[in-house]
Amino acid sequence: MALTGIQNDNEFFSQHYLSEVFPKDIADTLNQWREQETDPVKALGELRQQTLRGLEACQDRLKPEQRLALVRKLYQPMLTAMGYQPALHRQQLDGDLELPRIAELSDANNQPLLWVYEVLPESEEMADPLLEPLHRCQLEGLKAEHGSAVPDKLPKDNWQTLLAKQVFTLAKPPRWVLLCHPAQWVLLDRSKIARNQMLRFDWQEILAANNRSSREAASALLHVRSLCGHSGEQALLDTLDDNAHKHAYGVSEDLKYALRECIELLGNEAVRQRMERDIAQKKGVFSGQYDAQQLSLECLRYMYRILFLLYIESRPDLGYAPLKSEAYRQGYSLESLRDLELVPLHNPRDRDGRFIHDSIQLLFRFVHEGLSTDNQSHLQDSSRKTRSGFEFKRLQSHLFDPARTPWLNQTVFPNHLLQQIIRLMSLSRVRGGRHRRGRISYAQLGINQLGAVYEALLSYRGFFAEQDLYEVKKDGEKHS
């Protein structure tokens, strides 16, 4: 499904969920709309040319009153197409504050559920709706809730501040707020606003693309019944949110199994190489010679290092990994190695080579020691610039301390094994007969999901099997 023009700020829904699961979750709703006379997707298509012309006119140099008249002609038919009943009025809030509210809806308990506000661009440049101010002309001529005149002074705050300080802090605030601005509409959920998560709908892009699937996605996310439900049914967006969390949980479950398999792969290879060295040095090899618990712990640390790197590279907002550097992204990052997850290794040189091993070890070293232009063993500062133009701050953590993995430090993992590990950490398991594996987005995993993965492996205890072992599935569970 095309999501052209829909901006998913700070993972309002996980990006992987939107691209892979969301289309299936709205399919029934879209089918129901096609059978009705009032299909919002079709209505948006019919308003396409009219809306695009209006958007172009709003970008001319106009007086605020002139632009306001155009703005109202734009959003009223579109809101009607989405099932709303626009009734613009002056909403009285605490004190003298009044806001131009277009529509309001309450839940079954008569509590505020959704408020729709009008946002007027201050100029033809069409800034972010949240950064626009409130204009006096928006309130003049409107019916007031308490019949009072327009206040002499209006707040100088922008809409972001007004919502944060005046609307969402009310004793009975709405669950949803929808801002209608000609450049874009912004949908905010009170439970997600603290994380700056929101959905933005750029109508210029959505309608200019003339793509039905973009209009379907916008309609499914904005329609009044999607936000408020109907006849006691759960609202579609609540269903989508539940499914997104379940999907994230499913991904974390995949990671638990993937990490366990990765630990076994690392441990078996480390033991194999250790035994070869001992035999070459004419040392005896006997049962109980190797410490299974120590090896398990080292393999666990190794995989936690990988997990840490995958997460910080997926979250540029954390500011740790130098993701703004092209040299780092293309030449050093773990994400660049993920691009090799399905590359065929045709010959023994490719399979048994050490390119991936050396690349990962270099990343571990960056994190543990920091990065400088000098020999890193003589590093004094926590971070210095490199010739490549990026820097790594030293992370003082036992996790990346090589002294904590003495056994694995003597092991060179071949390309084919590390490629398998990267594949396990990058792709979800096949379920329910599906042949396509989804690519795991680590940006979508919250602290709760990662914490669940971490805790599940704390109790992991590896051991050396003295006979063949078999994993038995539950009765009725299909083989995947």
Side-chain angles (χ1 to χ4, degrees):
M1 170 172 280
L3 297 174
T4 305
I6 300 176
Q7 187 173 324
N8 182 32
D9 279 10
N10 296 306
E11 302 274 340
F12 185 93
F13 293 117
S14 71
Q15 198 58 43
H16 185 260
Y17 171 79
L18 276 183
S19 61
E20 298 292 334
V21 185
F22 169 71
K24 305 182 191 72
D25 284 350
I26 65 171
D28 288 344
T29 298
L30 297 177
N31 289 333
Q32 291 174 13
W33 282 343
R34 292 189 188 100
E35 297 173 359
Q36 299 173 358
E37 294 183 7
T38 55
D39 179 359
V41 181
K42 181 180 178 182
L44 276 184
E46 293 171 349
L47 291 169
R48 177 175 172 271
Q49 292 295 340
Q50 170 188 329
T51 304
L52 289 173
R53 286 195 297 269
L55 288 171
E56 187 175 353
C58 284
Q59 297 175 44
D60 293 337
R61 289 191 176 183
L62 300 169
K63 293 181 179 180
E65 296 80 3
Q66 294 172 313
R67 184 173 289 111
L68 179 60
L70 287 172
V71 167
R72 289 175 176 171
K73 286 183 180 178
L74 274 175
Y75 69 67
Q76 288 183 356
M78 293 181 69
L79 282 172
T80 301
M82 294 290 171
Y84 298 87
Q85 297 178 351
L88 187 61
H89 65 281
R90 284 159 46 196
Q91 177 196 19
Q92 180 82 40
L93 293 180
D94 292 344
D96 294 331
L97 178 63
E98 293 185 346
L99 296 177
R101 192 167 67 186
I102 303 169
E104 59 177 313
L105 290 166
S106 301
D107 61 19
N109 298 317
N110 204 32
Q111 299 298 311
L113 185 59
L114 168 69
W115 290 350
V116 184
Y117 289 113
E118 168 190 274
V119 180
L120 176 63
E122 192 168 26
S123 70
E124 65 274 9
E125 294 181 0
M126 301 286 183
D128 181 340
L130 289 169
L131 302 181
E132 297 281 11
L134 180 64
H135 295 266
R136 173 173 290 276
C137 64
Q138 291 180 267
L139 300 175
E140 292 174 339
L142 296 183
K143 181 180 179 181
E145 289 183 343
H146 302 294
S148 59
V150 176
D152 293 332
K153 291 184 179 180
L154 295 182
K156 296 181 180 180
D157 296 328
N158 58 32
W159 275 96
Q160 184 169 10
T161 303
L162 289 171
L163 292 175
K165 293 184 177 180
Q166 304 289 344
V167 176
F168 286 126
T169 56
L170 291 169
K172 295 181 179 180
R175 158 77 185 282
W176 301 97
V177 164
L178 176 61
L179 299 181
C180 292
H181 177 279
Q184 60 179 229
W185 290 5
V186 183
L187 180 64
L188 304 109
D189 181 346
R190 186 179 75 243
S191 65
K192 299 187 178 186
I193 195 64
R195 297 187 296 276
N196 210 28
Q197 295 173 315
M198 63 195 74
L199 292 172
R200 296 175 182 266
F201 301 83
D202 188 321
W203 291 114
Q204 181 75 39
E205 285 192 37
I206 293 171
L207 297 177
N210 197 19
N211 186 312
R212 180 179 173 87
S213 64
S214 294
R215 297 196 299 273
E216 287 177 342
S219 299
L221 293 168
L222 286 172
H223 195 273
V224 65
R225 289 189 179 178
S226 298
L227 295 169
C228 304
H230 179 63
S231 301
E233 295 179 356
Q234 184 181 38
L236 176 62
L237 261 73
D238 286 331
T239 301
L240 298 180
D241 205 38
D242 289 344
N243 291 349
H245 285 298
K246 290 176 183 176
H247 182 68
Y249 175 79
V251 171
S252 67
E253 286 294 299
D254 286 351
L255 280 177
K256 291 178 190 178
Y257 287 102
L259 279 164
R260 188 181 68 178
E261 186 173 348
C262 290
I263 290 169
E264 292 171 358
L265 289 169
L266 292 171
N268 286 332
E269 180 63 20
V271 170
R272 186 189 69 79
Q273 293 189 25
R274 175 75 172 271
M275 290 177 65
E276 286 183 352
R277 287 195 302 271
D278 287 348
I279 292 172
Q281 296 171 10
K282 298 183 179 180
K283 295 181 179 179
V285 177
F286 54 88
S287 176
Q289 177 179 351
Y290 305 134
D291 187 342
Q293 294 306 311
Q294 175 61 28
L295 179 58
S296 297
L297 184 58
E298 290 190 26
C299 292
L300 191 58
R301 286 187 178 126
Y302 187 98
M303 291 312 304
Y304 279 152
R305 292 172 184 175
I306 296 288
L307 194 61
F308 173 86
L309 287 166
L310 287 168
Y311 185 71
I312 64 166
E313 287 187 356
S314 73
R315 298 294 300 270
D317 54 299
L318 296 177
Y320 183 73
L323 297 171
K324 293 182 180 180
S325 168
E326 186 74 14
Y328 175 78
R329 291 198 312 272
Q330 299 297 328
Y332 296 90
S333 70
L334 195 58
E335 185 64 29
S336 67
L337 295 178
R338 289 181 79 188
D339 294 337
L340 304 177
E341 63 200 18
L342 296 176
V343 173
L345 301 177
H346 294 293
N347 54 61
R349 181 179 178 182
D350 291 340
R351 284 179 50 79
D352 300 328
R354 55 183 294 163
F355 171 76
I356 300 179
H357 171 87
D358 289 340
S359 299
I360 291 176
Q361 290 301 123
L362 188 60
L363 269 176
F364 291 170
R365 190 176 179 184
F366 285 172
V367 175
H368 181 63
E369 299 181 359
L371 194 61
S372 79
T373 54
D374 303 325
N375 187 309
Q376 293 185 24
S377 63
H378 301 126
L379 189 65
Q380 300 296 325
D381 300 332
S382 62
S383 63
R384 297 181 185 174
K385 287 190 175 180
T386 69
R387 294 187 183 91
S388 299
F390 65 86
E391 60 183 24
F392 242 104
K393 293 182 179 179
R394 181 181 180 183
L395 183 68
Q396 295 180 327
S397 166
H398 292 320
L399 178 60
F400 285 86
D401 185 354
R404 301 271 173 163
T405 51
W407 193 333
L408 297 192
N409 294 342
Q410 303 175 49
T411 307
V412 176
F413 296 108
N415 286 336
H416 71 86
L417 183 138
L418 288 177
Q419 185 190 49
Q420 185 177 355
I421 286 175
I422 292 172
R423 187 184 303 127
L424 286 166
M425 298 294 288
S426 297
L427 301 175
S428 62
R429 292 187 298 163
V430 176
R431 282 194 182 89
R434 291 187 291 111
H435 298 289
R436 183 180 178 185
R437 301 174 68 185
R439 186 173 172 85
I440 295 174
S441 170
Y442 282 83
Q444 77 178 284
L445 293 177
I447 296 301
N448 290 339
Q449 283 79 38
L450 287 174
V453 173
Y454 177 81
E455 290 176 2
L457 291 175
L458 284 178
S459 59
Y460 180 85
R461 296 291 183 270
F463 62 92
F464 296 123
E466 298 183 359
Q467 59 187 20
D468 291 340
L469 300 177
Y470 300 90
E471 183 175 3
V472 179
K473 291 187 176 294
K474 294 180 180 179
D475 183 29
E477 185 177 332
K478 294 183 179 179
H479 179 73
S480 60

